[in-house]
mmCIF file with all atom_site columns, all heavy atoms in Angstrom:
data_model
loop_
_atom_site.group_PDB
_atom_site.id
_atom_site.type_symbol
_atom_site.label_atom_id
_atom_site.label_alt_id
_atom_site.label_comp_id
_atom_site.label_asym_id
_atom_site.label_entity_id
_atom_site.label_seq_id
_atom_site.pdbx_PDB_ins_code
_atom_site.Cartn_x
_atom_site.Cartn_y
_atom_site.Cartn_z
_atom_site.occupancy
_atom_site.B_iso_or_equiv
_atom_site.pdbx_formal_charge
_atom_site.auth_seq_id
_atom_site.auth_comp_id
_atom_site.auth_asym_id
_atom_site.auth_atom_id
_atom_site.pdbx_PDB_model_num
ATOM 1   N N   . GLN G 1 185 ? 114.292 97.783  118.272 1.00 97.00 ? 353 GLN G N   1
ATOM 2   C CA  . GLN G 1 185 ? 114.661 96.494  118.942 1.00 97.00 ? 353 GLN G CA  1
ATOM 3   C C   . GLN G 1 185 ? 115.499 96.753  120.188 1.00 97.00 ? 353 GLN G C   1
ATOM 4   O O   . GLN G 1 185 ? 115.319 95.994  121.122 1.00 97.00 ? 353 GLN G O   1
ATOM 5   C CB  . GLN G 1 185 ? 115.492 95.698  117.878 1.00 97.00 ? 353 GLN G CB  1
ATOM 6   C CG  . GLN G 1 185 ? 114.739 95.397  116.581 1.00 97.00 ? 353 GLN G CG  1
ATOM 7   C CD  . GLN G 1 185 ? 113.321 94.882  116.854 1.00 97.00 ? 353 GLN G CD  1
ATOM 8   O OE1 . GLN G 1 185 ? 113.120 93.792  117.265 1.00 97.00 ? 353 GLN G OE1 1
ATOM 9   N NE2 . GLN G 1 185 ? 112.310 95.709  116.524 1.00 97.00 ? 353 GLN G NE2 1
ATOM 10  N N   . ALA G 1 186 ? 116.341 97.789  120.157 1.00 97.00 ? 354 ALA G N   1
ATOM 11  C CA  . ALA G 1 186 ? 117.040 98.098  121.342 1.00 97.00 ? 354 ALA G CA  1
ATOM 12  C C   . ALA G 1 186 ? 116.115 98.514  122.518 1.00 97.00 ? 354 ALA G C   1
ATOM 13  O O   . ALA G 1 186 ? 116.301 98.145  123.680 1.00 97.00 ? 354 ALA G O   1
ATOM 14  C CB  . ALA G 1 186 ? 118.058 99.175  121.121 1.00 97.00 ? 354 ALA G CB  1
ATOM 15  N N   . PHE G 1 187 ? 115.005 99.219  122.136 1.00 98.00 ? 355 PHE G N   1
ATOM 16  C CA  . PHE G 1 187 ? 114.030 99.660  123.094 1.00 98.00 ? 355 PHE G CA  1
ATOM 17  C C   . PHE G 1 187 ? 113.354 98.408  123.745 1.00 98.00 ? 355 PHE G C   1
ATOM 18  O O   . PHE G 1 187 ? 113.122 98.328  124.946 1.00 98.00 ? 355 PHE G O   1
ATOM 19  C CB  . PHE G 1 187 ? 112.999 100.514 122.393 1.00 98.00 ? 355 PHE G CB  1
ATOM 20  C CG  . PHE G 1 187 ? 111.743 100.838 123.272 1.00 98.00 ? 355 PHE G CG  1
ATOM 21  C CD1 . PHE G 1 187 ? 111.797 101.944 124.088 1.00 98.00 ? 355 PHE G CD1 1
ATOM 22  C CD2 . PHE G 1 187 ? 110.615 100.067 123.110 1.00 98.00 ? 355 PHE G CD2 1
ATOM 23  C CE1 . PHE G 1 187 ? 110.693 102.296 124.880 1.00 98.00 ? 355 PHE G CE1 1
ATOM 24  C CE2 . PHE G 1 187 ? 109.451 100.363 123.918 1.00 98.00 ? 355 PHE G CE2 1
ATOM 25  C CZ  . PHE G 1 187 ? 109.510 101.512 124.795 1.00 98.00 ? 355 PHE G CZ  1
ATOM 26  N N   . LEU G 1 188 ? 113.032 97.367  122.905 1.00 98.00 ? 356 LEU G N   1
ATOM 27  C CA  . LEU G 1 188 ? 112.450 96.183  123.410 1.00 98.00 ? 356 LEU G CA  1
ATOM 28  C C   . LEU G 1 188 ? 113.364 95.458  124.374 1.00 98.00 ? 356 LEU G C   1
ATOM 29  O O   . LEU G 1 188 ? 112.919 95.036  125.513 1.00 98.00 ? 356 LEU G O   1
ATOM 30  C CB  . LEU G 1 188 ? 112.035 95.273  122.238 1.00 98.00 ? 356 LEU G CB  1
ATOM 31  C CG  . LEU G 1 188 ? 110.891 95.592  121.409 1.00 98.00 ? 356 LEU G CG  1
ATOM 32  C CD1 . LEU G 1 188 ? 110.656 94.562  120.303 1.00 98.00 ? 356 LEU G CD1 1
ATOM 33  C CD2 . LEU G 1 188 ? 109.596 95.662  122.226 1.00 98.00 ? 356 LEU G CD2 1
ATOM 34  N N   . GLY G 1 189 ? 114.644 95.322  123.996 1.00 98.00 ? 357 GLY G N   1
ATOM 35  C CA  . GLY G 1 189 ? 115.546 94.628  124.886 1.00 98.00 ? 357 GLY G CA  1
ATOM 36  C C   . GLY G 1 189 ? 115.769 95.376  126.177 1.00 98.00 ? 357 GLY G C   1
ATOM 37  O O   . GLY G 1 189 ? 115.815 94.683  127.270 1.00 98.00 ? 357 GLY G O   1
ATOM 38  N N   . PHE G 1 190 ? 115.788 96.708  126.109 1.00 98.00 ? 358 PHE G N   1
ATOM 39  C CA  . PHE G 1 190 ? 116.008 97.431  127.406 1.00 98.00 ? 358 PHE G CA  1
ATOM 40  C C   . PHE G 1 190 ? 114.724 97.361  128.309 1.00 98.00 ? 358 PHE G C   1
ATOM 41  O O   . PHE G 1 190 ? 114.791 97.114  129.496 1.00 98.00 ? 358 PHE G O   1
ATOM 42  C CB  . PHE G 1 190 ? 116.244 98.919  127.029 1.00 98.00 ? 358 PHE G CB  1
ATOM 43  C CG  . PHE G 1 190 ? 116.333 99.780  128.217 1.00 98.00 ? 358 PHE G CG  1
ATOM 44  C CD1 . PHE G 1 190 ? 117.291 99.572  129.237 1.00 98.00 ? 358 PHE G CD1 1
ATOM 45  C CD2 . PHE G 1 190 ? 115.452 100.889 128.332 1.00 98.00 ? 358 PHE G CD2 1
ATOM 46  C CE1 . PHE G 1 190 ? 117.367 100.481 130.320 1.00 98.00 ? 358 PHE G CE1 1
ATOM 47  C CE2 . PHE G 1 190 ? 115.512 101.717 129.416 1.00 98.00 ? 358 PHE G CE2 1
ATOM 48  C CZ  . PHE G 1 190 ? 116.477 101.558 130.434 1.00 98.00 ? 358 PHE G CZ  1
ATOM 49  N N   . GLN G 1 191 ? 113.534 97.556  127.714 1.00 98.00 ? 359 GLN G N   1
ATOM 50  C CA  . GLN G 1 191 ? 112.301 97.502  128.473 1.00 98.00 ? 359 GLN G CA  1
ATOM 51  C C   . GLN G 1 191 ? 111.999 96.161  128.989 1.00 98.00 ? 359 GLN G C   1
ATOM 52  O O   . GLN G 1 191 ? 111.328 96.012  130.121 1.00 98.00 ? 359 GLN G O   1
ATOM 53  C CB  . GLN G 1 191 ? 111.114 98.041  127.695 1.00 98.00 ? 359 GLN G CB  1
ATOM 54  C CG  . GLN G 1 191 ? 111.204 99.477  127.252 1.00 98.00 ? 359 GLN G CG  1
ATOM 55  C CD  . GLN G 1 191 ? 111.137 100.429 128.395 1.00 98.00 ? 359 GLN G CD  1
ATOM 56  O OE1 . GLN G 1 191 ? 110.468 100.154 129.434 1.00 98.00 ? 359 GLN G OE1 1
ATOM 57  N NE2 . GLN G 1 191 ? 111.906 101.488 128.351 1.00 98.00 ? 359 GLN G NE2 1
ATOM 58  N N   . ALA G 1 192 ? 112.501 95.049  128.334 1.00 98.00 ? 360 ALA G N   1
ATOM 59  C CA  . ALA G 1 192 ? 112.339 93.743  128.854 1.00 98.00 ? 360 ALA G CA  1
ATOM 60  C C   . ALA G 1 192 ? 113.386 93.313  129.869 1.00 98.00 ? 360 ALA G C   1
ATOM 61  O O   . ALA G 1 192 ? 113.302 92.245  130.354 1.00 98.00 ? 360 ALA G O   1
ATOM 62  C CB  . ALA G 1 192 ? 112.343 92.735  127.660 1.00 98.00 ? 360 ALA G CB  1
ATOM 63  N N   . GLY G 1 193 ? 114.356 94.206  130.075 1.00 97.00 ? 361 GLY G N   1
ATOM 64  C CA  . GLY G 1 193 ? 115.374 93.920  131.109 1.00 97.00 ? 361 GLY G CA  1
ATOM 65  C C   . GLY G 1 193 ? 116.411 92.992  130.615 1.00 97.00 ? 361 GLY G C   1
ATOM 66  O O   . GLY G 1 193 ? 117.248 92.493  131.457 1.00 97.00 ? 361 GLY G O   1
ATOM 67  N N   . ILE G 1 194 ? 116.500 92.674  129.364 1.00 97.00 ? 362 ILE G N   1
ATOM 68  C CA  . ILE G 1 194 ? 117.408 91.704  128.807 1.00 97.00 ? 362 ILE G CA  1
ATOM 69  C C   . ILE G 1 194 ? 118.797 92.369  128.709 1.00 97.00 ? 362 ILE G C   1
ATOM 70  O O   . ILE G 1 194 ? 119.885 91.733  128.930 1.00 97.00 ? 362 ILE G O   1
ATOM 71  C CB  . ILE G 1 194 ? 117.002 91.132  127.554 1.00 97.00 ? 362 ILE G CB  1
ATOM 72  C CG1 . ILE G 1 194 ? 115.677 90.416  127.706 1.00 97.00 ? 362 ILE G CG1 1
ATOM 73  C CG2 . ILE G 1 194 ? 117.952 90.223  126.889 1.00 97.00 ? 362 ILE G CG2 1
ATOM 74  C CD1 . ILE G 1 194 ? 114.986 90.072  126.392 1.00 97.00 ? 362 ILE G CD1 1
ATOM 75  N N   . ILE G 1 195 ? 118.824 93.651  128.378 1.00 97.00 ? 363 ILE G N   1
ATOM 76  C CA  . ILE G 1 195 ? 120.121 94.439  128.289 1.00 97.00 ? 363 ILE G CA  1
ATOM 77  C C   . ILE G 1 195 ? 120.048 95.591  129.237 1.00 97.00 ? 363 ILE G C   1
ATOM 78  O O   . ILE G 1 195 ? 118.966 96.068  129.598 1.00 97.00 ? 363 ILE G O   1
ATOM 79  C CB  . ILE G 1 195 ? 120.414 94.873  126.842 1.00 97.00 ? 363 ILE G CB  1
ATOM 80  C CG1 . ILE G 1 195 ? 119.260 95.788  126.389 1.00 97.00 ? 363 ILE G CG1 1
ATOM 81  C CG2 . ILE G 1 195 ? 120.555 93.737  125.932 1.00 97.00 ? 363 ILE G CG2 1
ATOM 82  C CD1 . ILE G 1 195 ? 119.582 96.491  124.998 1.00 97.00 ? 363 ILE G CD1 1
ATOM 83  N N   . GLU G 1 196 ? 121.228 96.070  129.649 1.00 96.00 ? 364 GLU G N   1
ATOM 84  C CA  . GLU G 1 196 ? 121.285 97.148  130.634 1.00 96.00 ? 364 GLU G CA  1
ATOM 85  C C   . GLU G 1 196 ? 122.397 98.116  130.213 1.00 96.00 ? 364 GLU G C   1
ATOM 86  O O   . GLU G 1 196 ? 123.487 97.759  129.642 1.00 96.00 ? 364 GLU G O   1
ATOM 87  C CB  . GLU G 1 196 ? 121.748 96.559  131.970 1.00 96.00 ? 364 GLU G CB  1
ATOM 88  C CG  . GLU G 1 196 ? 121.360 97.378  133.143 1.00 96.00 ? 364 GLU G CG  1
ATOM 89  C CD  . GLU G 1 196 ? 119.864 97.411  133.442 1.00 96.00 ? 364 GLU G CD  1
ATOM 90  O OE1 . GLU G 1 196 ? 119.235 96.405  133.310 1.00 96.00 ? 364 GLU G OE1 1
ATOM 91  O OE2 . GLU G 1 196 ? 119.381 98.515  133.776 1.00 96.00 ? 364 GLU G OE2 1
ATOM 92  N N   . PRO G 1 197 ? 122.279 99.422  130.375 1.00 97.00 ? 365 PRO G N   1
ATOM 93  C CA  . PRO G 1 197 ? 123.209 100.407 130.007 1.00 97.00 ? 365 PRO G CA  1
ATOM 94  C C   . PRO G 1 197 ? 124.379 100.323 130.974 1.00 97.00 ? 365 PRO G C   1
ATOM 95  O O   . PRO G 1 197 ? 124.289 100.042 132.164 1.00 97.00 ? 365 PRO G O   1
ATOM 96  C CB  . PRO G 1 197 ? 122.540 101.770 130.176 1.00 97.00 ? 365 PRO G CB  1
ATOM 97  C CG  . PRO G 1 197 ? 121.464 101.548 131.141 1.00 97.00 ? 365 PRO G CG  1
ATOM 98  C CD  . PRO G 1 197 ? 121.003 100.100 130.967 1.00 97.00 ? 365 PRO G CD  1
ATOM 99  N N   . THR G 1 198 ? 125.613 100.534 130.451 1.00 97.00 ? 366 THR G N   1
ATOM 100 C CA  . THR G 1 198 ? 126.773 100.535 131.293 1.00 97.00 ? 366 THR G CA  1
ATOM 101 C C   . THR G 1 198 ? 126.841 101.750 132.215 1.00 97.00 ? 366 THR G C   1
ATOM 102 O O   . THR G 1 198 ? 127.416 101.686 133.307 1.00 97.00 ? 366 THR G O   1
ATOM 103 C CB  . THR G 1 198 ? 128.062 100.517 130.477 1.00 97.00 ? 366 THR G CB  1
ATOM 104 O OG1 . THR G 1 198 ? 128.049 101.503 129.537 1.00 97.00 ? 366 THR G OG1 1
ATOM 105 C CG2 . THR G 1 198 ? 128.193 99.195  129.695 1.00 97.00 ? 366 THR G CG2 1
ATOM 106 N N   . VAL G 1 199 ? 126.231 102.870 131.826 1.00 96.00 ? 367 VAL G N   1
ATOM 107 C CA  . VAL G 1 199 ? 126.114 104.017 132.566 1.00 96.00 ? 367 VAL G CA  1
ATOM 108 C C   . VAL G 1 199 ? 124.680 104.517 132.531 1.00 96.00 ? 367 VAL G C   1
ATOM 109 O O   . VAL G 1 199 ? 124.101 104.643 131.498 1.00 96.00 ? 367 VAL G O   1
ATOM 110 C CB  . VAL G 1 199 ? 127.021 105.205 132.122 1.00 96.00 ? 367 VAL G CB  1
ATOM 111 C CG1 . VAL G 1 199 ? 126.944 106.449 132.913 1.00 96.00 ? 367 VAL G CG1 1
ATOM 112 C CG2 . VAL G 1 199 ? 128.535 104.671 132.094 1.00 96.00 ? 367 VAL G CG2 1
ATOM 113 N N   . ASN G 1 200 ? 124.084 104.797 133.722 1.00 94.00 ? 368 ASN G N   1
ATOM 114 C CA  . ASN G 1 200 ? 122.688 105.216 133.720 1.00 94.00 ? 368 ASN G CA  1
ATOM 115 C C   . ASN G 1 200 ? 122.557 106.704 133.406 1.00 94.00 ? 368 ASN G C   1
ATOM 116 O O   . ASN G 1 200 ? 122.233 107.531 134.222 1.00 94.00 ? 368 ASN G O   1
ATOM 117 C CB  . ASN G 1 200 ? 122.113 104.928 135.131 1.00 94.00 ? 368 ASN G CB  1
ATOM 118 C CG  . ASN G 1 200 ? 120.616 105.024 135.087 1.00 94.00 ? 368 ASN G CG  1
ATOM 119 O OD1 . ASN G 1 200 ? 119.963 104.992 134.077 1.00 94.00 ? 368 ASN G OD1 1
ATOM 120 N ND2 . ASN G 1 200 ? 120.032 105.252 136.292 1.00 94.00 ? 368 ASN G ND2 1
ATOM 121 N N   . ASP G 1 201 ? 122.868 106.976 132.152 1.00 95.00 ? 369 ASP G N   1
ATOM 122 C CA  . ASP G 1 201 ? 122.791 108.372 131.620 1.00 95.00 ? 369 ASP G CA  1
ATOM 123 C C   . ASP G 1 201 ? 122.194 108.422 130.255 1.00 95.00 ? 369 ASP G C   1
ATOM 124 O O   . ASP G 1 201 ? 122.432 107.503 129.505 1.00 95.00 ? 369 ASP G O   1
ATOM 125 C CB  . ASP G 1 201 ? 124.261 108.956 131.659 1.00 95.00 ? 369 ASP G CB  1
ATOM 126 C CG  . ASP G 1 201 ? 124.236 110.375 131.245 1.00 95.00 ? 369 ASP G CG  1
ATOM 127 O OD1 . ASP G 1 201 ? 124.347 110.646 130.005 1.00 95.00 ? 369 ASP G OD1 1
ATOM 128 O OD2 . ASP G 1 201 ? 124.278 111.288 132.111 1.00 95.00 ? 369 ASP G OD2 1
ATOM 129 N N   . ASP G 1 202 ? 121.388 109.415 129.951 1.00 95.00 ? 370 ASP G N   1
ATOM 130 C CA  . ASP G 1 202 ? 120.723 109.490 128.697 1.00 95.00 ? 370 ASP G CA  1
ATOM 131 C C   . ASP G 1 202 ? 121.666 109.500 127.464 1.00 95.00 ? 370 ASP G C   1
ATOM 132 O O   . ASP G 1 202 ? 121.253 109.062 126.456 1.00 95.00 ? 370 ASP G O   1
ATOM 133 C CB  . ASP G 1 202 ? 119.835 110.765 128.634 1.00 95.00 ? 370 ASP G CB  1
ATOM 134 C CG  . ASP G 1 202 ? 118.572 110.642 129.437 1.00 95.00 ? 370 ASP G CG  1
ATOM 135 O OD1 . ASP G 1 202 ? 118.267 109.542 129.963 1.00 95.00 ? 370 ASP G OD1 1
ATOM 136 O OD2 . ASP G 1 202 ? 117.844 111.631 129.599 1.00 95.00 ? 370 ASP G OD2 1
ATOM 137 N N   . ASP G 1 203 ? 122.903 109.932 127.705 1.00 96.00 ? 371 ASP G N   1
ATOM 138 C CA  . ASP G 1 203 ? 123.922 109.951 126.639 1.00 96.00 ? 371 ASP G CA  1
ATOM 139 C C   . ASP G 1 203 ? 124.606 108.614 126.455 1.00 96.00 ? 371 ASP G C   1
ATOM 140 O O   . ASP G 1 203 ? 125.424 108.457 125.537 1.00 96.00 ? 371 ASP G O   1
ATOM 141 C CB  . ASP G 1 203 ? 124.894 111.045 126.830 1.00 96.00 ? 371 ASP G CB  1
ATOM 142 C CG  . ASP G 1 203 ? 124.165 112.417 126.704 1.00 96.00 ? 371 ASP G CG  1
ATOM 143 O OD1 . ASP G 1 203 ? 123.216 112.557 125.967 1.00 96.00 ? 371 ASP G OD1 1
ATOM 144 O OD2 . ASP G 1 203 ? 124.622 113.385 127.416 1.00 96.00 ? 371 ASP G OD2 1
#
Side-chain angles (χ1 to χ4, degrees):
Q353 302 312 289
F355 173 85
L356 286 177
F358 174 63
Q359 294 296 325
I362 299 167
I363 60 174
E364 202 71 40
T366 54
V367 178
N368 192 21
D369 182 273
D370 283 353
D371 295 327

